[in-house]
């Protein structure tokens, strides 16, 4: 039996990137279900849908394609009635899967019915892959408007209860928990339970990165403008307020000291003149102060960015160190397991060899009519020869030496007489071998 055992050499990993996938696959986007009540009289809350969403990754994407209509059908359940009773057969086959790292999110859509009424529904969505290179029929799911979709739940995991709705005057099955078993592609003429549920080419998910980058850039610009506006307005108002307060205080003091005089003293006149000159110079000073503050803010932002980059780099390094430690630990564990298995394997081989040695020794001893010299080659190479090979070699030696099986070569061994007319089942193996050899030589 062929055996292949891993060595203890370090594995050489291939550095694959996230976009390194099979080119025969196509990515797709799936509207799985919407929250609330639906037309199959079931009800799923957003909280329950969030828990169920944890089972989406890895779920198969299936379909039942009918060649005669050149389109998908429904879930493809077939009822078989025969002498064994009634049973159901699933006609769908896998066309893809939801990736283990797939995005899962909620998105609101405006759905319109056949009467033109608009409903805003919140859909549970995810992404997946279809094997369009192997199955051309599933290309229709990522071309044009895509295909309707209907999810399937695992019956054994389904939990819920019936509840009566006075508003709708009907009962609804409230789903409390379930596991997604399949996501099924439907034909264009099949109405899904959740009206807008579908499998299409990526649309919303393709815009995630672009929207995030645009929003971040817009938010950063708004913050910068707001910061500059607040800084400029605050400084101008602050300087004008201080100047006004100083001027009012000076005039009030002069009026109290010279309340009997209607003229302003020369000193106050000079002070007033100086204040007026300072007032003219104020804008220049304010501008300089503003520039200094802006420079400080810019430097502060730059320092903050440098600090954030450093923190991000430290986090990345810690993550790499942690991943390396985990890989190293796994490698050490695997090495220990391999060493243990290697030891156990060698022990089993040795045990097996000892058992075979015992069987071979017993077989060699049964040829007591041959001397040790006659059996020297077989004894020396018994581990190289199988039991059949040892028996054949010793039988040939007996035939060549024309051994008389009627007399014993050992005094301690009783005389053994063989009746060659006996049943073949009672004749020793080496006698049968001698007979066969003799027949072949005749």
């Amino acid at each position: 039996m062929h055996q292949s055992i891993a060595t203890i050499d370090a594995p050489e990993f291939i550095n694959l990137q996230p976009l390194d996938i099979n080119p025969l696959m196509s990515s797709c986007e799936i509207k799985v279900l919407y929250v609330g009540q639906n037309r199959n009289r079931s009800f799923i809350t957003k909280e329950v849908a969030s828990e169920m969403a944890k089972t989406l990754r890895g779920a198969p994407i299936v379909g039942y394609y009918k060649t005669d209509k050149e389109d998908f059908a429904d879930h493809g359940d077939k009822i078989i009635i025969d002498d064994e009773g009634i049973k159901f057969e699933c006609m769908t086959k896998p066309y893809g899967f939801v990736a283990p790292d797939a995005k899962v999110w909620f998105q609101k859509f405006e759905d319109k019915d056949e009467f033109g009424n608009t409903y805003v529904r919140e859909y549970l969505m995810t992404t997946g892959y279809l094997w369009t290179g192997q199955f051309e029929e599933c290309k229709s799911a990522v071309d044009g408007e895509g295909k309707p979709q209907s999810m399937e739940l695992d019956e054994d995991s389904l939990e819920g209860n019936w509840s009566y709705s006075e508003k709708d005057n009907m009962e609804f099955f409230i789903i409390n928990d379930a596991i997604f078993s399949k996501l099924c592609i439907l034909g264009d003429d099949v109405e899904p339970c959740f009206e807008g549920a579908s499998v299409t080419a990526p649309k919303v998910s393709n815009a995630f990165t672009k929207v995030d980058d645009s929003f971040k850039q817009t938010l950063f610009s708004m913050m910068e403008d707001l910061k500059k506006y607040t800084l400029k307005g605050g400084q101008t108002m602050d300087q004008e307020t201080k100047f006004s307060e100083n001027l009012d205080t000076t005039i009030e003091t002069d009026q109290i000291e010279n309340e009997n005089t209607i003229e302003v003293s020369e000193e106050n006149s000079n002070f007033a003149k100086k204040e007026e000159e300072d007032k003219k110079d104020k804008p220049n000073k304010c501008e300089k102060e503003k520039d200094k503050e802006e420079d400080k803010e810019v430097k502060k932002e730059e320092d903050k960015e440098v600090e954030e980059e450093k923190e991000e780099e430290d986090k990345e390094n810690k993550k790499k160190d942690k991943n390396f430690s985990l890989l190293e630990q796994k490698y050490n564990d695997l090495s220990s397991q391999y060493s243990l298995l290697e030891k156990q394997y060698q022990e089993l081989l040795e045990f097996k060899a000892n058992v075979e040695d015992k069987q071979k020794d017993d077989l060699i001893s049964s040829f007591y009519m041959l001397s040790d010299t006659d059996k020297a080659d077989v004894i020396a190479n018994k581990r190289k020869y199988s039991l059949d090979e040892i028996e054949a070699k010793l039988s040939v030696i007996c035939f060549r030496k024309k051994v008389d099986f009627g007399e014993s070569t050992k005094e301690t061994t009783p005389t053994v007489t063989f009746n060659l007319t006996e049943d073949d089942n009672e004749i020793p193996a080496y006698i049968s071998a001698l007979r066969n050899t003799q027949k072949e030589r005749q």
Side-chain angles (χ1 to χ4, degrees):
M1 182 177 178
H2 174 72
Q3 291 184 340
S4 180
I5 302 175
T7 65
I8 61 174
D9 294 341
E12 182 179 352
F13 292 99
I14 301 174
N15 186 23
L16 296 179
Q17 301 302 316
L19 296 180
D20 292 336
I21 60 173
N22 193 309
L24 299 179
M25 294 194 305
S26 299
S27 57
C28 64
E29 186 174 278
I30 308 159
K31 292 167 71 176
V32 182
L33 57 84
Y34 56 73
V35 299
Q37 67 185 43
N38 53 73
R39 56 184 175 180
N40 75 342
R41 295 176 62 189
S42 63
F43 189 96
I44 304 175
T45 65
K46 188 173 182 179
E47 291 74 19
V48 171
S50 298
E51 287 298 314
M52 292 169 57
K54 297 176 182 178
T55 65
L56 268 175
R57 290 175 170 176
I61 302 174
V62 303
Y64 173 39
Y65 188 81
K66 300 190 73 174
T67 307
D68 55 347
K69 63 179 289 189
E70 295 184 350
D71 195 6
F72 289 92
D74 53 13
H75 288 270
D77 290 331
K78 181 180 179 181
I79 302 177
I80 300 176
I81 303 176
D82 53 21
D83 55 352
E84 296 180 357
I86 301 175
K87 58 184 177 181
F88 294 88
E89 181 179 347
C90 181
M91 306 294 290
T92 60
K93 71 177 183 180
Y95 282 100
F97 61 97
V98 179
D101 59 346
K103 295 183 177 67
V104 181
W105 73 98
F106 285 101
Q107 183 79 34
K108 290 183 179 180
F109 290 86
E110 290 186 356
D111 291 343
K112 284 187 179 181
D113 60 17
E114 61 271 21
F115 302 107
N117 300 317
T118 301
Y119 303 92
V120 177
R121 296 187 174 108
E122 192 167 14
Y123 281 82
L124 173 66
M125 302 189 65
T126 188
T127 56
Y129 291 99
L130 296 176
W131 296 309
T132 51
Q134 288 81 5
F135 308 106
E136 292 188 1
E137 60 266 29
C138 68
K139 286 184 179 179
S140 58
V142 291
D143 293 338
E145 296 299 320
K147 289 291 181 183
Q149 182 275 146
S150 180
M151 57 88 179
E152 296 185 22
L153 302 178
D154 177 58
E155 294 183 0
D156 295 334
S157 64
L158 181 61
E159 296 180 5
N161 59 278
W162 288 95
S163 179
Y164 179 77
S165 172
E166 296 182 355
K167 178 182 176 181
D168 301 289
N169 193 27
M170 64 176 61
E171 282 189 320
F172 284 89
F173 184 73
I174 311 298
I175 296 178
N176 297 324
D177 192 19
I179 294 175
F180 289 105
S181 62
K182 304 173 190 172
L183 302 179
C184 184
I185 304 173
L186 304 177
D188 291 333
D189 59 345
V190 181
E191 277 286 329
C193 166
F194 301 88
E195 291 91 318
S198 62
V199 180
T200 65
K203 297 178 181 179
V204 178
S205 56
N206 269 358
F208 283 165
T209 304
K210 297 179 181 178
V211 171
D212 290 345
D213 293 343
S214 176
F215 175 75
K216 290 177 182 177
Q217 184 64 32
T218 303
L219 181 60
F220 179 77
S221 300
M222 291 175 61
M223 291 177 64
E224 287 296 313
D225 292 341
L226 181 62
K227 187 189 303 177
K228 292 178 181 179
Y229 174 79
T230 305
L231 181 62
K232 181 177 179 181
Q235 286 182 341
T236 302
M237 185 174 291
D238 184 61
Q239 295 291 344
E240 291 178 352
T241 303
K242 289 183 179 179
F243 173 76
S244 177
E245 289 177 353
N246 291 337
L247 183 61
D248 292 343
T249 303
T250 303
I251 294 175
E252 184 179 355
T253 303
D254 289 343
Q255 287 178 346
I256 292 174
E257 293 179 352
N258 303 281
E259 57 184 6
N260 296 325
T261 305
I262 58 173
E263 295 181 357
V264 181
S265 64
E266 183 178 355
E267 181 180 359
N268 288 338
S269 296
N270 293 335
F271 178 78
K273 185 178 180 180
K274 185 176 181 301
E275 288 289 342
E276 187 67 24
E277 292 175 353
D278 291 341
K279 185 176 182 181
K280 292 178 182 180
D281 294 338
K282 258 325 180 188
N284 292 332
K285 293 180 180 179
C286 290
E287 289 295 330
K288 292 180 179 179
E289 186 68 23
K290 181 189 71 172
D291 292 339
K292 290 182 180 179
E293 291 295 330
E294 288 182 352
D295 291 340
K296 289 181 180 179
E297 288 296 327
V298 171
K299 189 175 185 307
K300 185 176 179 181
E301 286 296 323
E302 291 177 350
D303 293 341
K304 184 178 179 181
E305 290 178 0
V306 172
E307 186 66 24
E308 289 178 351
E309 290 178 358
K310 185 178 179 182
E311 290 179 358
E312 189 67 25
E313 185 178 354
D314 291 341
K315 288 181 180 179
E316 190 66 24
N317 290 334
K318 289 180 179 178
K319 184 178 180 181
K320 290 180 179 178
D321 292 340
K322 183 178 180 181
N323 291 338
F324 177 79
S325 298
L326 290 174
L327 289 174
E328 187 177 28
Q329 181 62 38
K330 289 182 179 179
Y331 171 75
N332 292 334
D333 293 342
L334 289 174
S335 297
S336 299
Q337 293 175 11
Y338 173 78
S339 299
L340 179 59
L341 290 174
E342 179 69 18
K343 181 180 177 182
Q344 293 174 347
Y345 175 70
Q346 293 299 332
E347 290 175 353
L348 287 173
L349 288 180
E350 185 63 26
F351 176 77
K352 180 183 177 183
N354 291 335
V355 171
E356 290 181 348
D357 286 347
K358 179 66 168 59
Q359 293 175 343
K360 292 174 182 178
D361 289 339
D362 292 342
L363 178 60
I364 293 171
S365 298
S366 66
F367 284 84
Y368 57 84
M369 67 291 300
L370 298 177
S371 65
D372 291 342
T373 303
D374 296 332
K375 299 184 287 185
D377 176 66
V378 173
I379 295 174
N381 299 286
K382 65 180 180 181
R383 286 209 170 183
K384 294 182 180 180
Y385 300 145
S386 65
L387 286 168
D388 292 338
E389 289 173 337
I390 291 174
E391 186 175 36
K393 286 179 179 293
L394 294 179
S395 298
V396 169
I397 294 173
C398 287
F399 178 78
R400 288 175 179 174
K401 295 180 74 67
K402 299 181 179 179
V403 175
D404 184 4
F405 296 98
E407 296 180 0
S408 173
T409 58
K410 294 184 180 180
E411 295 181 358
T412 57
T413 304
T415 301
V416 179
T417 303
F418 299 100
N419 184 358
L420 299 181
T421 62
E422 291 177 341
D423 189 278
D424 289 344
N425 294 329
E426 299 177 359
I427 299 174
Y430 58 86
I431 298 299
S432 299
L434 284 172
R435 282 181 176 178
N436 294 332
T437 303
Q438 185 175 17
K439 289 178 181 180
E440 291 175 358
R441 291 178 176 273
Q442 286 177 349

